[in-house]
Amino acid sequence: MNIIDRFFKYVSFDTQSDEDSLTLPSTAKQLALLDYLQDELKALGLTVTRSKCGYVYATLKANTDSKVRLAFLAHVDTSPAVSGASVKPQIIKYTGGDVLLNSAEKIYFSEKDFPEIKRYLGQDIIFTDGTTLLGADDKAGVAEIVSAVEFLLDNPTIPHPEIKLAFTSDEEVGRGTEDFDVKAFGADFAYTIDGGELGELNYENFNACSGNVVIKGISVHPGDAYGKMINAIDVFNEFHNMLPIDSRPNTTRDHEGFFMVESISGGIEELTAKYIIRDHNSQKFADKKAYFTKVADKINEKYGRTVVVATVKDSYYNMKNIIEKHYHLVDNAITAFKNCGVEPVILPIRGGTDGSHLSFAGLPTPNLSTGGHNFHGRFEYIPVQSMQKMTEVIVELARIYSK
Ligand SMILES: [Zn+2]
């Protein structure tokens, strides 16, 4: 099956995950695609197993003496942000300017809004009809991995180590590795194929924690409040304004970390505020957490009593600390891209990634591009040529690790 047919088949499944669900997978409909993948991989001749919640694991035996067990991972769910039902993918050769996606509803893809499209002049772009997301995140990753394995099976003279595949659910709702048993999976190294533009390589993500602030005020009738009232809302303002204004998500980029207030609830008597704190650098992350609690101490000192209690709880860590010990994963990905004529671009992830949890659980897992753009939206697209290139890159990585 060619990669376009394969990708179109995958996006015909509605696999939207659900952040409010308590089950795993969060939506049963994800299992339909996972079942399909199980059958497809078995038909290709791979050994397939399933995890308790339905992840599909598969193994392609080595055809060399290489002892490395190399894995490729992708997730089957799509973002809850935009519908992924009845996706109508279409291939349009990009010749410049805006692209009419849907004549009935007069929906255009705007070159001005998404100028990156100009890089793909003359290429065959897979768009939606402008009413749903496409699901290149991450079904393009799935299609590229399966196509690469099919290519290796069709070309047995290309050397490769033992290759493990894993297709998982619920990445988009932050539960993508909940059922992942790294030991049982039995791989030494892995790559997720879940990034954006062709050539992207990520091996750093944020260190992350949540911050919780509880403020206990003193409510007094406003007429008698002189010298007595402590308004928790005013105290919250003091607290928030003591955090650096140039360390917010909208004032930072690249490797700059931040504090972000996520929600506040309460009134004069009591107020709760929830924060997230992020930094790629471990020392700066520790400093930010210390600063966050020190601000509370300062305010308590001023009031002469405990008005504010600020606590932090770690969420996940920068996988760079693990990947650096296995830097061949980065070097070999760079070599594989270059050997396929793609200029690699190393970008820090300003968020988390499944690879972070896996890396800390013992499976070092950087992330590579899928080739897609505008994920989680109606204007998501992916050039066919980028998908074909990524398939080549995966084959090349297998060849590199066969030695
Ligand atoms: Zn993804």
Side-chain angles (χ1 to χ4, degrees), residues 108-390:
Y108 283 86
F109 179 96
S110 157
E111 183 193 56
K112 193 164 142 267
D113 291 349
F114 308 109
E116 306 79 24
I117 189 78
K118 290 181 200 165
R119 287 173 212 159
Y120 305 110
L121 215 64
Q123 294 199 19
D124 308 304
I125 316 288
I126 307 174
F127 290 101
T128 66
D129 68 350
T131 65
T132 65
L133 51 66
L134 177 61
D137 177 12
D138 186 22
K139 290 166 186 168
V142 181
E144 288 155 4
I145 293 168
V146 176
S147 295
V149 166
E150 187 184 44
F151 187 84
L152 289 172
L153 287 162
D154 289 345
N155 297 274
T157 55
I158 301 173
H160 62 80
E162 180 168 313
I163 293 179
K164 301 249 174 209
L165 312 185
F167 299 121
T168 58
S169 63
D170 297 300
E171 190 273 348
E172 300 292 358
V173 293
R175 299 175 64 197
T177 57
E178 224 173 272
D179 194 32
F180 205 107
D181 184 341
V182 164
K183 239 202 175 126
F185 184 54
D188 301 305
F189 310 109
Y191 292 95
T192 46
I193 310 292
D194 191 21
E197 183 175 354
L198 182 66
E200 196 180 303
L201 162 56
N202 322 108
Y203 67 96
E204 287 193 65
N205 58 283
F206 274 141
N207 295 293
C209 74
S210 55
N212 197 51
V213 177
V214 178
I215 301 172
K216 296 243 189 261
I218 298 176
S219 177
V220 180
H221 185 287
D224 305 317
Y226 186 82
K228 298 193 182 84
M229 178 196 275
I230 297 178
N231 187 334
I233 303 168
D234 291 335
V235 178
F236 168 73
N237 270 327
E238 279 181 65
F239 180 90
H240 189 65
N241 289 328
M242 283 168 77
L243 298 174
I245 193 165
D246 59 356
S247 294
R248 292 179 183 168
N250 53 317
T251 56
T252 53
R253 59 186 163 180
D254 303 328
H255 281 93
E256 296 164 342
F258 59 75
F259 300 88
M260 182 180 86
V261 62
E262 239 178 5
S263 69
I264 49 172
S265 63
I268 295 168
E269 183 76 6
E270 183 166 336
L271 183 145
T272 306
K274 295 201 181 304
Y275 281 82
I276 61 169
I277 302 171
R278 300 287 187 262
D279 208 298
H280 289 103
N281 180 288
S282 303
Q283 186 57 51
K284 286 182 181 167
F285 178 59
D287 292 347
K288 280 194 167 66
K289 289 194 286 184
Y291 187 78
F292 188 76
T293 49
K294 209 174 90 194
V295 167
D297 295 343
K298 279 228 163 113
I299 291 175
N300 291 334
E301 230 169 83
K302 177 184 148 190
Y303 284 90
R305 61 195 292 159
T306 303
V307 184
V308 186
V309 177
T311 52
V312 292
K313 187 169 176 268
D314 287 356
S315 314
Y316 54 84
Y317 301 108
N318 189 349
M319 66 176 165
K320 184 184 181 189
N321 303 323
I322 305 292
I323 305 292
E324 271 178 344
K325 295 178 195 139
H326 310 277
Y327 204 75
H328 57 85
L329 285 163
V330 178
D331 282 338
N332 288 339
I334 290 171
T335 305
F337 274 127
K338 286 188 171 165
N339 289 354
C340 295
V342 177
E343 199 45 51
V345 182
I346 297 178
L347 291 174
I349 300 175
R350 290 183 64 78
T353 164
D354 278 354
S356 158
H357 294 283
L358 294 171
S359 295
F360 282 93
L363 180 59
T365 309
N367 182 47
L368 304 179
S369 57
T370 58
H373 287 258
N374 298 343
F375 289 168
H376 303 190
R378 294 183 294 121
F379 298 106
E380 188 180 3
Y381 69 91
I382 187 164
V384 171
Q385 283 81 354
S386 294
M387 290 183 73
Q388 289 164 338
K389 265 294 170 215
M390 274 317 295

